[in-house]
Amino acid sequence: MISSQILIFAPLLAVVCAQSQPWTQCGGIGWTGSATCVSGWLCTYQNDYYSQCLQAASSVSSSSNVATSSPAHSSSPATTSSAASHTSSAVSSSGASSTATLTGIAATAPTVGPSRDTGKLPALGWNAWNAYGCAISSDIILAAANDIVSLGLQAAGYQYVNIDDCWAEMQRNSTTQRIVPDPSKFPDGIDGLVTQIHALELKAGIYSDAGTATCAGFPGSLGYEAIDAATFTEWGIDYLKYDNCNVPANWTDAYTPQDNDWYDSNSAIRYRQMTAALAAQSRPVQFSLCIWGDANVWQWGSRVGHSWRMSGDSTPSWGYITQILTTNAQYLSYVDFYAHNDMDMMEIGNGGLTIEEQRTHFAAWCFMKSPILLGTNLSNLNSTQLAIVTNPELLAFHQDATIGTPAMPFTPTSSGAAPTSPPQYFAGMSAKGVHVFMINTASNAETMSFTFSLVPELAVGSGSYVVHDMWAGEDLGTFSGSYSTSVAAHDTVAFLVTPA
Ligand SMILES: *[C@@H]1O[C@H](CO)[C@@H](O)[C@H](O)[C@H]1NC(C)=O
Ligand SMILES: *[C@@H]1O[C@H](CO)[C@@H](O)[C@H](O)[C@H]1NC(C)=O
Ligand SMILES: *[C@@H]1O[C@H](CO)[C@@H](O)[C@H](O)[C@H]1NC(C)=O
Ligand SMILES: *[C@@H]1O[C@H](CO)[C@@H](O)[C@H](O)[C@H]1NC(C)=O
């Protein structure tokens, strides 16, 4: 997958300067530069003030782009067999949906959408997987819930306490066909645990799989959607993470390189069946599609769930962070209220990351509006780490109830900046105003600068601006022209920029 990235970037070496570089501006009100992008990149409308060079869809297949190194969740593109059953949903070469009559399973698949009573903002909470894997119990989950309260995480906005894989017995109840909680791990059942989580005024999440078995081999929900949705709802569940392992051959999809709308793919239909089953319940359930970036999920995810995974599993490594930032930066135009690209669960506290890398991990998940599910033993977070994950200004950007869109890459100076992968300069709006975020991806400290008039959201003008440090919660002063600061290796700085 690394090699496919290199191939995409290689032609840039020979490029003419008249065309806009990757990730940079190529249009918008007041824009006088080039309106075309270098080969392989497409000038894409973001808002009236800003169009941007994004990777052309044809060079970004769902398989090559979001390849995963996850051992447990191998996500090689589904192969062969069932393409014929839904060729009628194929799209024209221009990318518009054809109007041909659907046949096969796509014609009868449910089209009901996800609840609008939950999932408007990206989820904030905790999940057991990154810290404990299968070694879970109601005691461990409840300890995390109590930590969320006692450490001030609940006061900062964290709500969800989510169980991951391995909570069930290996067999369904042969009479009722319901999934049975493992009584050695959950002596009071899942409902007993959920009652205790709700008593803390937190919300409870559970995990299942859109296949015959979960990734760890426990019962999957494919074909049992109605029973399982009813069971989860009866237990009081508020959030469902729905994984993508053990998919029967006749439910896979043929790989096609076009920028198709995959809403009628077998992959999407496996998830749509659970959306419909959840919609038939009395309780809203936030629906998290753990589909690893397969099947161009960003195109149809918001018609099916509230968030969708963009890659395989996270690891506590700088390599994972740069890989998912590179991928997700290309699909930020799909993010808004009720629609969140999921960059996977947090690794803060799990070792391997410097404190600067942990700051970038948190800041980027905030400004890209990914769900944030902490994934560590919370009692072991030190005061620096707790201050990161409870930073009020970054969380306010993430949880902004008036603006749903994330920060987007922009060109920081008129001389441009060498295109980097991932991009390092992002800007976006919140209820408080205009924000600029700069990630130093270099392995040494760098001076980083941005020109005020080039921030797409700032009115074009040459006035002075107050630069406010979101991490420290304090004003840095009034500046005009541009702002420069030194950024430590792999760190991220975050600013609110207000006309003086
Ligand atoms: C299956 O569920 C029924 C109804 O709750 C219960 O009576 C029965 O004992 C369960 N069977 C097994 C094998 O647990
Ligand atoms: C796969 O086979 C199962 C069992 O026959 C059937 O219920 C299901 O609809 C099939 N899936 C597709 C996509 O055709
Ligand atoms: C979490 O960390 C605390 C503090 O170090 C420790 O007492 C506790 O046993 C840990 N929990 C688990 C489940 O490992
Ligand atoms: C917390 O741990 C990080 C490493 O993850 C370290 O850089 C930082 O100094 C620690 N903070 C305190 C207060 O010990």
Side-chain angles (χ1 to χ4, degrees), residues 46-390:
Q46 302 291 351
N47 58 52
D48 287 349
Y49 297 92
Y50 193 58
S51 295
Q52 181 194 14
C53 292
L54 297 178
Q55 231 160 332
S58 58
S59 63
V60 185
S61 73
S62 68
S63 62
S64 70
N65 180 52
V66 289
T68 160
S69 52
S70 162
H73 298 177
S74 142
S75 71
S76 54
T79 43
T80 63
S81 80
S82 57
S85 68
H86 56 265
T87 46
S88 60
S89 67
V91 296
S92 72
S93 57
S94 71
S97 285
S98 89
T99 51
T101 310
L102 295 173
T103 57
I105 198 158
T108 54
T111 55
V112 59
S115 171
R116 284 298 177 252
D117 294 328
T118 185
K120 176 179 171 180
L121 303 174
L124 256 185
W126 179 88
N127 175 295
W129 183 259
N130 285 355
Y132 303 113
C134 280
I136 50 167
S137 67
S138 69
D139 285 350
I140 285 178
I141 310 279
L142 209 52
N146 283 313
D147 282 345
I148 288 172
V149 177
S150 65
L151 297 174
L153 291 159
Q154 182 180 36
Y158 289 80
Q159 280 191 305
Y160 288 95
V161 182
N162 292 353
I163 303 166
D164 208 277
D165 205 347
C166 310
W167 57 268
E169 299 230 69
M170 287 306 253
Q171 303 297 330
R172 289 175 179 269
N173 178 308
S174 56
T175 310
T176 63
Q177 298 303 318
R178 283 164 60 128
I179 307 183
V180 182
D182 181 338
S184 67
K185 294 173 178 166
F186 298 95
D188 302 323
I190 299 297
D191 55 341
L193 173 61
V194 168
T195 300
Q196 290 176 278
I197 292 170
H198 284 169
L200 295 169
E201 296 184 8
L202 294 168
K203 293 180 174 175
I206 203 150
Y207 165 100
S208 192
D209 187 284
T212 55
T214 69
C215 298
F218 296 90
S221 293
L222 186 65
Y224 295 89
E225 293 88 352
I227 293 172
D228 292 351
T231 305
F232 299 156
T233 309
E234 187 188 305
W235 291 343
I237 288 294
D238 305 294
Y239 184 109
L240 173 63
K241 171 179 172 180
Y242 207 43
D243 217 334
N244 198 27
C245 282
N246 297 303
V247 177
N250 78 322
W251 276 104
T252 59
D253 285 295
Y255 166 71
T256 50
Q258 289 83 26
D259 190 23
N260 287 349
D261 183 345
W262 286 56
Y263 180 71
D264 287 318
S265 66
N266 286 331
S267 300
I269 292 169
R270 285 185 289 114
Y271 284 82
R272 285 163 57 182
Q273 292 184 167
M274 183 54 91
T275 311
L278 293 172
Q281 309 304 317
S282 56
R283 231 186 131 75
V285 174
Q286 188 163 155
F287 191 27
S288 154
L289 318 180
C290 183
I291 190 172
W292 320 330
D294 281 359
N296 291 9
V297 60
W298 45 86
Q299 294 175 328
W300 51 266
S302 68
R303 287 174 271 170
V304 177
H306 302 96
S307 63
W308 43 91
R309 282 274 297 280
M310 298 298 287
S311 74
D313 286 3
S314 59
T315 58
S317 66
W318 181 242
Y320 176 78
I321 291 174
T322 53
Q323 175 213 311
I324 189 66
L325 289 177
T326 301
T327 297
N328 203 36
Q330 301 172 70
Y331 300 105
L332 291 172
S333 60
Y334 293 93
V335 176
D336 209 331
F337 292 134
Y338 303 103
H340 299 105
N341 293 348
D342 183 349
M343 298 159 74
D344 202 14
M345 302 178 295
M346 306 304 284
E347 297 284 8
I348 290 173
N350 294 341
L353 297 171
T354 67
I355 200 70
E356 292 81 11
E357 291 166 348
Q358 294 174 61
R359 282 154 57 94
T360 292
H361 187 4
F362 184 74
W365 269 237
C366 283
F367 72 66
M368 291 182 161
K369 305 215 172 185
S370 170
I372 292 181
L373 296 171
L374 302 177
T376 199
N377 179 343
L378 298 171
S379 334
N380 293 336
L381 288 175
N382 70 24
S383 58
T384 316
Q385 292 165 319
L386 266 178
I388 291 171
V389 301
T390 58

